[in-house]
Amino acid sequence: MCGIAGIVGGARTDAEATVRSMLRRLAHRGPDDEGLWSEAEASLGHRRLAIIDLSSAGRQPMISHDGNLVLTMNGEIYNFADLRRDLETSGSIAWRGHSDTEVFLECMARYGVEAAVSRARGMFAFAVWDRRSRTAHLGRDRFGEKPLAYVADAAGLAFASEVDALAEALPHRPALSADALTAFFRLGYIPAPLTIFEGVQKLEPGSLLRWRVGEGATTAPYWSLAETIAAGRLDRFSSAAAAAEALEPAIGAAVRRQSVSDVPIGLFLSGGLDSTLIAALMAGGSPLNTFTLGFEDRRFDEAANARAIADHLGTRHCEMIATNADALAVAPELGSLYDEPFADPSQIPTVLVSRLAAREIKVCLSGDGGDEMFGGYVRYPGVERLWRTLRWLPGRRTLGRALEQAPLAQLERRLGFLGPLAERYGSRAALGPSLRRAGGWMQAPTRAALVEAAMTIWPAPGPEIAGGADPAAWRPSPPAFDEPLEGSLWRDGVDYLPGDILAKVDRAAMSVGLETRAPLLDPEVAALAWRLPMRLKIDGQTTKAIVRTLLARRLPLSLFERPKVGFTPPLHAWLTGPLRSWARDLIDPALLRRQGHLDPAIVGEAWRRLDDEGDSGAAPRIWAVLMFQSWLART
């Protein structure tokens, strides 16, 4: 896990100095070492977080044994031991050390870049320069765990792990992208290939970019989730028992591969099903370090659950309860920690738990990807159930508009009888805000539109941007599905997972030099997950049915059979409490008018709903505005 940067082509006389400036912006990603390699047409840089082969033999940029390829890489190749054995069976290599980077580089030299990437299991973003053919390749892992941004034309290519660092190579500050802002205010993140800047792109997950002097850049996928889904449809598991017999050893093997490290390793133990399964698979060997963050508000807290699991498994458990003071301290830093506007409020606890873990270890596994692979979000069955009701409801769009626009007190007064029903089904939100949000959903004309509405912070085109493209336009074409619900899992796998979940964890962890790994995103595990018929993922209102089956083999039911809480902080309470003064300063109407990006009237109405009416449903909208403003303030 590191930071990479470089400039290729362009005949820039300042390329080496510029790459050094880019590396300074990436120092947090690799606090252990810095490397720079340059020749006439290429300058590649690297900030190192030393995890495997801590010696100088693991330094980057690294040159292949034949002297032709130069590689700078961020990430880990988990099956490097197998790849090394394969290389050795077809010829001897005088290895310099035992790093995964050296093995990956020699695979490229032996088989070619695309063939090497296809053989590799890992999380990675890399750049490799071919000195003979004067060709550069950029690559990104299958699900987008590691970030990579670039600018390219026929004359040159510049790249970096983060947009901030890449800006050092640009001749002037680019304009903000209308498409990116539309996506951000709608989704809370900016999906690939967009970045916040016009003309700057993210390499998409599972893709390779090829750049050659005088020809410019072309990109193409080497792997796609759509192909994995299509293959899974042809070979469905016939029963839960058959699925469990295949999944358990595959997940166990992925956990073992991702536990290889020359430095201490641990696990983010949330108390949810995915991290609990990984903990159960890791337990039994050397003592396992586990880390949990909880909240003072019991409605949002799973710390006690995680503690019980840790006690049962005998881990070395470290726990922190996030307080109002913690939120007040972290929130103003978020604009600097995230290289683009990013508005998933669980970024606060993610930063805090990363800091907690980084005091003890340098590598932490997580359960990320399990919700998208195995159907873990409660909105999956919830949206399906809602659509079955709404599609037959007469006048639903008119009723929906009325619910959205009605004063909150009126909704609470007239429909208060629904409150006990909401409590019965475990709702953490007040009734009025829930009804307002439902009003927006009721206006969805199709099931697909309802799915999008459930993921939308601010309806398109956003509070101030006109003309930005619908974020869905940037997604790959969907494959065929056996059941409509599979479309929701696919949508999250190609959009929400890389754009939100993985970006959130990467930036938070790397801000303190902590590597994170996600065993459930192993390609074999993903392939098996998409062989599951939907009933083995979501059984009625029960999510992750197959994961519960696997856990029941190893743990008492009382340790994991409970309602899903998630990692969402008490945002409304924080914004109207300890963060109120900070928020009011950032959304001051005079400041918004001077900046010219946001409409003060629209922002003011969202704040009025949040602060005056107590509408917790407005909190995500205000949070998106605050994260944009916070990002602007540090650029």
Side-chain angles (χ1 to χ4, degrees):
M1 188 80 73
C2 308
I4 65 173
I7 296 173
V8 175
R12 290 178 56 156
T13 58
D14 66 340
E16 186 171 325
T18 301
V19 173
R20 288 195 184 279
S21 296
M22 296 162 78
L23 293 177
R24 282 194 290 272
R25 299 293 291 268
L26 296 170
H28 55 281
R29 298 187 70 93
D32 295 333
D33 196 9
E34 179 177 300
L36 180 67
W37 176 92
S38 272
E39 62 179 19
E41 290 183 303
S43 293
L44 307 184
H46 189 262
R47 288 292 317 195
R48 186 183 186 196
L49 180 64
I51 301 297
I52 295 177
D53 194 344
L54 310 185
S55 74
S56 60
R59 292 193 72 195
Q60 298 184 50
M62 188 177 290
I63 303 173
S64 61
H65 286 253
D66 64 7
N68 181 49
L69 300 182
V70 186
L71 173 68
T72 182
M73 182 179 78
N74 167 27
E76 303 288 350
I77 306 300
Y78 301 127
N79 63 332
F80 75 97
D82 294 335
L83 295 176
R84 178 167 172 155
R85 282 192 292 271
D86 291 344
L87 288 168
E88 290 172 341
T89 59
S90 55
S92 61
I93 296 177
W95 299 103
R96 290 180 289 251
H98 66 274
S99 76
D100 59 317
T101 305
E102 185 179 7
V103 173
F104 193 36
L105 177 58
E106 293 308 316
C107 281
M108 292 181 182
R110 178 77 58 85
Y111 308 123
V113 173
E114 183 170 359
V117 170
S118 296
R119 291 171 183 235
R121 291 186 182 183
M123 55 169 186
F124 51 79
F126 68 83
V128 61
W129 172 243
D130 187 315
R131 302 169 76 184
R132 283 195 290 266
S133 68
R134 301 165 72 204
T135 302
H137 286 90
L138 306 184
R140 194 172 177 205
D141 64 68
R142 292 166 176 81
F143 285 99
E145 292 183 66
K146 295 294 99 192
L148 189 57
Y150 70 94
V151 291
D153 58 25
L157 166 71
F159 63 87
S161 293
E162 297 182 8
V163 174
D164 268 356
L166 183 57
E168 295 286 325
L170 304 179
H172 53 78
R173 179 185 171 87
L176 301 187
S177 163
D179 288 343
L181 284 174
T182 298
F184 170 71
F185 280 107
R186 185 169 179 180
L187 302 173
Y189 56 90
I190 300 173
L194 302 174
T195 73
I196 187 61
F197 294 124
E198 197 70 49
V200 179
Q201 294 183 286
K202 299 186 189 86
L203 186 62
E204 295 182 77
S207 294
L208 287 173
L209 178 147
R210 178 181 177 274
W211 182 93
R212 179 173 287 177
V213 174
E215 297 180 7
T218 58
T219 62
Y222 65 86
W223 179 90
S224 76
L225 184 58
E227 292 180 358
T228 298
I229 293 171
R233 292 182 69 214
L234 301 176
D235 190 20
R236 294 291 196 194
F237 286 112
S238 59
S239 67
E245 287 303 313
L247 267 172
E248 185 169 22
I251 297 173
V255 168
R256 287 190 296 275
R257 279 192 296 269
Q258 296 193 25
S259 297
V260 173
S261 172
D262 291 340
V263 297
I265 193 168
L267 171 69
F268 290 143
L269 182 62
S270 68
L273 297 177
D274 300 316
S275 62
T276 299
L277 177 59
I278 294 171
L281 292 169
M282 293 179 75
S286 56
L288 172 64
N289 299 292
T290 54
F291 303 90
T292 296
L293 188 97
F295 301 101
E296 290 179 306
D297 188 331
R298 293 294 181 88
R299 296 174 301 164
F300 298 83
D301 184 46
E302 285 189 300
N305 300 340
R307 192 183 316 120
I309 293 163
D311 289 344
H312 181 83
L313 295 175
T315 73
R316 292 174 176 167
H317 192 57
C318 190
E319 175 186 299
M320 175 184 178
I321 303 299
T323 65
N324 288 345
D326 295 320
L328 184 61
V330 169
E333 300 179 43
L334 295 174
S336 297
L337 294 180
Y338 286 79
D339 58 325
E340 295 185 290
F342 183 82
D344 181 338
S346 64
Q347 63 202 116
I348 291 181
T350 304
V351 169
L352 291 172
V353 76
S354 295
R355 291 177 177 178
L356 177 70
R359 298 172 192 165
E360 307 290 335
I361 59 171
K362 293 180 73 171
V363 179
C364 211
L365 274 64
S366 78
D368 289 327
D371 287 321
E372 295 79 8
M373 292 296 105
F374 300 110
Y377 295 119
V378 293
R379 58 180 159 83
Y380 290 148
V383 167
E384 293 303 307
R385 187 172 67 251
L386 182 60
W387 177 244
R388 287 195 297 270
T389 302
L390 289 181
R391 63 187 299 187
W392 303 113
L393 183 65
R396 60 185 171 86
R397 296 188 191 180
T398 301
L399 177 60
R401 285 192 293 270
L403 287 174
E404 271 195 310
Q405 297 166 11
L408 201 63
Q410 185 183 98
L411 285 175
E412 295 278 10
R413 185 173 61 254
R414 293 187 177 181
L415 299 171
F417 67 91
L418 294 175
L421 188 64
E423 291 180 8
R424 177 181 175 185
Y425 287 99
S427 174
R428 293 181 296 173
L431 178 63
S434 297
L435 288 171
R436 268 190 178 164
R437 186 168 180 86
W441 294 0
M442 290 171 71
Q443 299 171 61
T446 64
R447 179 198 165 279
L450 180 59
V451 170
E452 290 303 315
M455 298 296 292
T456 296
I457 295 175
W458 222 314
E464 82 304 327
I465 298 298
D470 185 329
W474 302 103
R475 291 183 203 138
S477 298
F481 301 113
D482 290 334
E483 300 181 49
L485 189 51
E486 289 183 322
S488 296
L489 276 68
W490 170 83
R491 178 230 182 269
D492 285 349
V494 298
D495 192 327
Y496 180 63
L497 176 64
D500 185 304
I501 300 298
L502 298 178
K504 173 187 65 180
V505 174
D506 174 82
R507 306 308 191 277
M510 292 310 298
S511 72
V512 289
L514 177 70
E515 175 173 299
T516 53
R517 301 176 177 179
L520 297 181
L521 293 179
D522 179 88
E524 181 183 352
V525 174
L528 292 171
W530 279 100
R531 288 178 57 195
L532 295 166
M534 188 53 65
R535 62 183 171 78
L536 296 183
K537 295 182 180 182
I538 299 173
D539 184 6
Q541 299 307 304
T542 300
T543 58
K544 286 188 195 159
I546 191 65
V547 178
R548 296 173 194 273
T549 298
L550 295 178
L551 280 170
R553 296 179 168 195
R554 294 176 175 268
L555 295 174
L557 291 178
S558 60
L559 287 178
F560 61 87
E561 283 293 3
R562 56 175 65 90
K564 183 179 177 67
V565 175
F567 207 39
T568 303
L571 186 61
H572 178 248
W574 283 353
L575 288 176
T576 56
L579 298 179
R580 188 175 188 277
S581 177
W582 166 75
R584 289 298 301 269
D585 287 345
L586 284 175
I587 62 171
D588 178 75
L591 174 63
L592 297 180
R593 280 190 290 270
R594 284 197 306 272
Q595 292 170 330
H597 296 294
L598 302 171
D599 185 331
I602 294 176
V603 174
E605 172 60 16
W607 179 259
R608 184 195 66 76
R609 286 193 168 198
L610 176 77
D611 198 40
D612 296 347
E613 287 194 288
D615 185 352
S616 58
R621 296 185 178 190
I622 289 296
W623 189 250
V625 171
L626 294 173
M627 290 298 95
F628 177 67
Q629 290 293 97
S630 184
W631 178 82
L632 275 181
R634 40 76 82 189
T635 57

